[in-house]
Amino acid sequence: MRVNLLDFDREGLMAHCNNLGEKPFRANQLFRWVHQRGQSDFAQMTDLAKGFREKLTDTAEVLDLPVLSLHESADGTIKWLFDVRDGNAIESVFIPEDDRGTLCVSSQAGCAVGCRFCSTGHQGFSRNLSTGEILAQLWHAEHFLRRKYGTSERVISNVVMMGMGEPLQNYHALVPALRAMLDDHGYGVSRRRLTVSTSGVVPMMDRLGLDCPVALAVSLHAPTDDLRDSLVPLNRKYPLAELMQACQRYLAHAPRDFITFEYCMLDGVNDQAEHAQALIDLMSQGAGRGVSAKFNLIPFNPFPASGLKRSSPAQVQAFAHRLQDAGFVTTVRKTRGDDIDAACGQLAGDVKDRTDVASRMTRAPIRMYPKAPTHHEH
Ligand code: SAH
Ligand code: SF4
């Protein structure tokens, strides 16, 4: 078995190179060749000693993910479907904007949390991605985009862990991948421009704050435990009071002075005036009191099996205004790439011509109230 160099952050690569008898600065050079230059052919790494290059050629590789399909939306959004073997596929999405380029990255094949409104959640959990598989999404996309746009400058300025999977239920693979993204010898993404989105895995939020504090988004979706239990089953394990305390603790480490709360707008379910008021109460006098927060309302992106509907634009606006009037910074997320099913929550790794995945997904029962989540943090 060859060693996949994408499985390492720089520190890990140094340790590996040390085992091969190489000095730390050689690991830095190698890391830059791989991540900054996108080079996977060791023979081309001309400033490394020939003996080292040969050793790498014999024992190591830079393992790209095979592309099953690539779609480009009318708005410039690009979606990749990558093969992660055994009938599993994951998706990554690039969202170009005037002042930034954002890559939305997956952390798991499927997801065990099973949120009602999420296509990945309906698919069930298949397996955790390795560090190399998480990082390969950025490696592949960045160097593809540079070639496409004919530039040697960085194209991806922001990374959001908002693709398929719950990143904090794959913590041990996630952290080295985040570190390589942040590394100046790697992608040089700033902590403020690297966002982990979580459905609220409380103990791992604390660890992230200590190990690798990046911007944090918490998928809230409901102002009360009753409603949140039914939308995000993980709430039964970590209810709102605990979640809010974890947010408060995270703020001591966070690169931004607020937590982003995501709120998926579901027609008639969580988008009424009473829900807005309950949310204001939660944040001003309930468990969320004192947590510095911004709200990001996401119009629900429908998928066939959900049985749910998107709130009307008027309903979304009314909800936003109530929060704003109560003094909360609130934005409404623009839906991008929905013509290619690349919008939030539509990622399912749907592999049309590989019947094992496709049939498993169409046969999967619709779990309106899924069973308690299984945990994959080690
Ligand atoms: N598992 C993590 C990150 C991936 S989901 C989490 O849940 O935070 C990224 C965001 O998309 C989350 O806020 C999620 O709630 C939201 N989302 C999921 N399904 C959606 C859908 N169908 N429409 C709109 N947003 C959705
Ligand atoms: Fe998993 Fe996030 Fe989807 Fe919930 S919204 S099922 S946590 S990917």
Side-chain angles (χ1 to χ4, degrees), residues 103 105 134-143 156 159 181 187:
L103 188 72
V105 170
I134 297 172
L135 207 46
Q137 298 170 62
L138 176 58
W139 186 81
H140 184 102
E142 173 68 27
H143 296 291
I156 295 168
V159 174
M181 293 174 188
Y187 300 87

Side-chain angles (χ1 to χ4, degrees), residues 110-115 117-122 163-166 199 219 221 232:
C111 183
V113 178
C115 300
F117 48 82
C118 173
S119 177
T120 310
H122 277 247
M164 297 166 67
E166 169 48 59
S199 54
S219 295
H221 308 310
V232 183

